[in-house]
Amino acid sequence: MIRFCLVCITVVGFLILSIPILIAEWIIGKFSPMKKDISSLRIIQAVFRFILWLTGARITVIGEENVPKDTPVLYIGNHRSFFDILLTYTRCPIRTGYVAKKEMEKVPLLSNWMKYLHCLFLDRKDIKQGLQTILAAVDKVKSGISICIFPEGTRSRSEDETDMLPFHDGSFKIATRAKCPIIPIAMSNTAGIWESHFPTIKPVHVIVEYGKPIYPDELDKEDKKHLGAYTQNVIKEMLTKNKDLV
């Protein structure tokens, strides 16, 4: 419980104490939007790294060389833990926004930081609004900002990590319309940090593997037609391979 309390104190404490930083970042953004984007990114990455340190998690990263550092991408990952966001965001080399559920937009201060970081809020109950969010994500990628989305739509609670929820195909329109590569991410044992034994946080071993870039236009017609299933299969293969390593 000590780790859980420390993480909660860090999160709440940062959000409250960061109010002056939010104001400073807003002012910086008026004169230099890019400088503000980068400084906001680095601040949150530092906070996330500290929180991960508090959890005691031992993190093994595989295939990070597959992530381009000079071009925006669409990150696609499996989703089992709130810590998936921290584990992946700390390693983003360029500006990256996440697609989050609409309810997150109502959280004070947190939503301010998310908007600073180019995150988008998806209303899963409104198809029209959901399409607008996808189109906004396409515009982000075209402007040089990577996007990360967990296309299962919610956290999978299956005991078998390779048993993922179906990937929503709409997410992949971001890559096909923006003409950007897809970077598949397979995260193993992330639920072991917290969700598997709520509310206790345990120092477990997690694996984050980045697969080789998927270029939709280079796939055959059938795979391109079922891009969600194709990407999910790539992630499943990585999860299966890493199953005995955690």
Side-chain angles (χ1 to χ4, degrees):
M1 283 296 292
I2 294 178
R3 293 182 189 274
F4 174 75
C5 291
L6 289 174
V7 168
C8 289
I9 291 170
T10 299
V11 172
V12 175
F14 170 75
L15 290 176
I16 295 173
L17 296 176
S18 71
I19 294 176
I21 303 176
L22 281 168
I23 296 172
E25 290 289 276
W26 178 80
I27 294 172
I28 292 171
K30 289 295 181 181
F31 297 95
S32 178
M34 179 62 75
K35 186 175 181 180
K36 171 251 184 184
D37 284 355
I38 298 301
S39 59
S40 293
L41 170 67
R42 301 310 177 205
I43 288 169
I44 296 303
Q45 285 181 324
V47 173
F48 281 2
R49 280 193 291 267
F50 179 70
I51 293 173
L52 288 172
W53 177 78
L54 287 177
T55 68
R58 183 164 63 90
I59 306 165
T60 297
V61 180
I62 303 171
E64 196 164 15
E65 68 277 3
N66 291 320
V67 181
K69 296 178 173 56
D70 56 356
T71 187
V73 302
L74 173 65
Y75 294 102
I76 294 289
N78 62 310
H79 191 28
R80 293 179 58 82
S81 171
F82 288 113
F83 286 95
D84 294 340
I85 299 165
L86 282 70
L87 288 161
T88 52
Y89 200 69
T90 52
R91 315 202 76 85
C92 293
I94 64 173
R95 295 176 298 162
T96 303
Y98 278 53
V99 177
K101 58 184 179 182
K102 186 71 174 177
E103 291 78 3
M104 297 293 289
E105 195 173 13
K106 299 177 182 179
V107 183
L109 300 178
L110 176 60
S111 61
N112 294 89
W113 276 110
M114 292 177 73
K115 290 173 183 176
Y116 276 16
L117 298 168
H118 298 281
C119 292
L120 299 169
F121 301 94
L122 179 65
D123 188 343
R124 292 172 291 184
K125 298 178 181 178
D126 188 330
I127 296 177
K128 184 177 179 180
Q129 188 65 36
L131 178 58
Q132 291 178 346
T133 301
I134 295 299
L135 293 176
V138 172
D139 289 338
K140 293 283 188 186
V141 174
K142 288 182 176 180
S143 68
I145 300 166
S146 292
I147 292 293
C148 181
I149 189 167
F150 302 120
E152 291 172 273
T154 188
R155 287 176 294 121
S156 172
R157 292 172 172 80
S158 173
E159 290 186 10
D160 184 356
E161 286 192 321
T162 63
D163 183 20
M164 293 172 278
L165 298 169
F167 279 14
H168 296 292
D169 287 327
S171 309
F172 295 86
K173 287 184 172 64
I174 300 171
T176 55
R177 295 196 179 194
K179 304 294 182 182
C180 73
I182 297 169
I183 301 296
I185 311 175
M187 290 172 281
S188 302
N189 201 35
T190 58
I193 298 176
W194 184 48
E195 283 81 359
S196 295
H197 35 73
F198 175 87
T200 306
I201 288 178
K202 292 187 177 182
V204 299
H205 180 209
V206 301
I207 296 176
V208 179
E209 180 169 4
Y210 295 88
K212 293 182 179 180
I214 298 170
Y215 296 91
D217 287 342
E218 295 180 3
L219 298 176
D220 61 43
K221 185 177 180 180
E222 195 63 24
D223 287 336
K224 187 176 181 179
K225 183 179 178 180
H226 302 287
L227 191 51
Y230 177 85
T231 306
Q232 187 171 39
N233 188 55
V234 171
I235 293 174
K236 185 172 183 176
E237 288 178 357
M238 291 190 286
L239 290 172
T240 301
K241 174 176 65 70
N242 296 330
K243 207 169 186 180
D244 296 328
L245 301 180
V246 294

